Amino acid sequence: MVAPAMAKGKSAPVAEKFLSEPEIAKLKRVKVDLVAPPMVHKHEQVASGAPRIVEFRMEIEEKKMVIDDKGTTLQAMTFNGSMPGPTLVVSAGDYVELTLVNKASNAMPHNVDFHAATGALGGAKLTNVNPGEQVTLRFKADRPGTFVYHCAPEGMVPWHVVAGMSGTLMVLPRDGLKDPAGNPLRYDTVYTIGEFDLYIPKDENGKYKDYKTLSESYGDTVEVMRKLVPSHIVFNGKVGALTGEGALKAKVGETILLIHSQANRDTRPHLIGGHGDWVWETGKFANPPEKDLETWFIRGGSAGAALYTFKQPGVYAYLNHNLIEAFELGAAGHIVVEGKWNDDLMKQIKAPGPIVA
Amino acid sequence: MLKSVHVALTLAISAGLAPFAATVAAETVNPAGEKLYKTACIACHSTGVANAPKVGNKDAWAPLIAKGMDSMMAIALKGKGAMPPRGASSADDATLKAAVEYMVYASR
Ligand SMILES: [Cu+2]
């Protein structure tokens, strides 16, 4: 009845076949509990069965968040209380069925625009919810890749996006990721990183302003936005969110997939001391990935993905390689890698010492 | 459908590029009203987010103005539909009233 695309082993394209409502009603349903970034909920890398309807639920939460170690605050808007919102994973051909809840304690109307979806402004037109309301949207995830989702209420789209309302939907090919020769690529761990350009207003003394309510932050924030110069650029909601206790972890020999989303502004990820073994910088898995990248490029309004297998232990930095944006404004995190040092790949022949003639 | 979507997008994109306030004479009674409007209310009322009556739109405001200040203040205080109580601001009643007056003034 359904989906010829479930065949294992070869890259069968998802058939351009549109199911009727009774046919869709017969599909298996699964409910997925989302987890907070940088973690990603458990999922299959190769789909084991026919397309399914995958149910998700996200609650919108407006809240004041501290975004640096100086106590600067952001009147933030979030999906599920985190920046970015949680990453949703399905396989191509699956249906995403999202229930979006706008908590009664919020002040603003919201909605959601999925870049992976087709029609109605990405779903935004069909998901407008006022505080105290919820709505359910279904769409077919028929294109594999990492895709941004974000809030987009008519008339105040950029504000809701730069205040935190974005995340990633990852649609895996049913037969998993492949290199350009068609060989399978697999990961042991997946981390999701959302990069946010923030526009915090300053007062006449040059100090960052703190606002009592979300709506009172609006007028000043828009003025800063219009200058196109972010005050902070952060990974996952805060300067240093992915350092120290929050650092990502890996082991020598382990392959990680790093998903990187930026809903508003370009960025250029780089792993110091490592590489992108296989990178889909535009994030769409039907295209062959690029190999051996030093720095890759995520267009504002997209999500990309990079695979890397660690070969050396130590503390790596993962950052936006405009180094001012990384080290001055906040767009940097750490990956702590355990394992054995490889002298063949790198060796310090002589430690630093006085200059000898 | 396509056309209305296009119009909606154009509206959304042009939002705020031409702040109406520039065309309004700065002779409002209480300056705190204009300040609150430009800080908070403007988020929805400059472009008509979620069907908010757009400031400067005479037709949208005429029926509200006809019902009187008490009726408009009741909405401003308690909220209505997508409009949160006090416009989700922490303003006091007097400032809120001044902001309503400012919007009314600019929408006549
Ligand atoms: Cu929103």
Side-chain angles (χ1 to χ4, degrees), chain A residues 199 222-229:
Chain A
Y199 303 84
V222 169
E223 272 186 41
V224 182
M225 284 159 52
R226 286 183 182 147
K227 297 199 167 67
L228 296 173
V229 180

Side-chain angles (χ1 to χ4, degrees), chain A residues 60 62 77-79 108-111 150-153 156-157 159-161 165:
Chain A
I60 293 159
E62 299 164 358
M77 300 186 251
T78 70
F79 291 105
M108 292 287 152
H110 301 277
N111 62 20
H150 63 89
C151 185
M156 46 179 176
V157 180
W159 181 41
H160 283 237
V161 171
M165 297 192 79

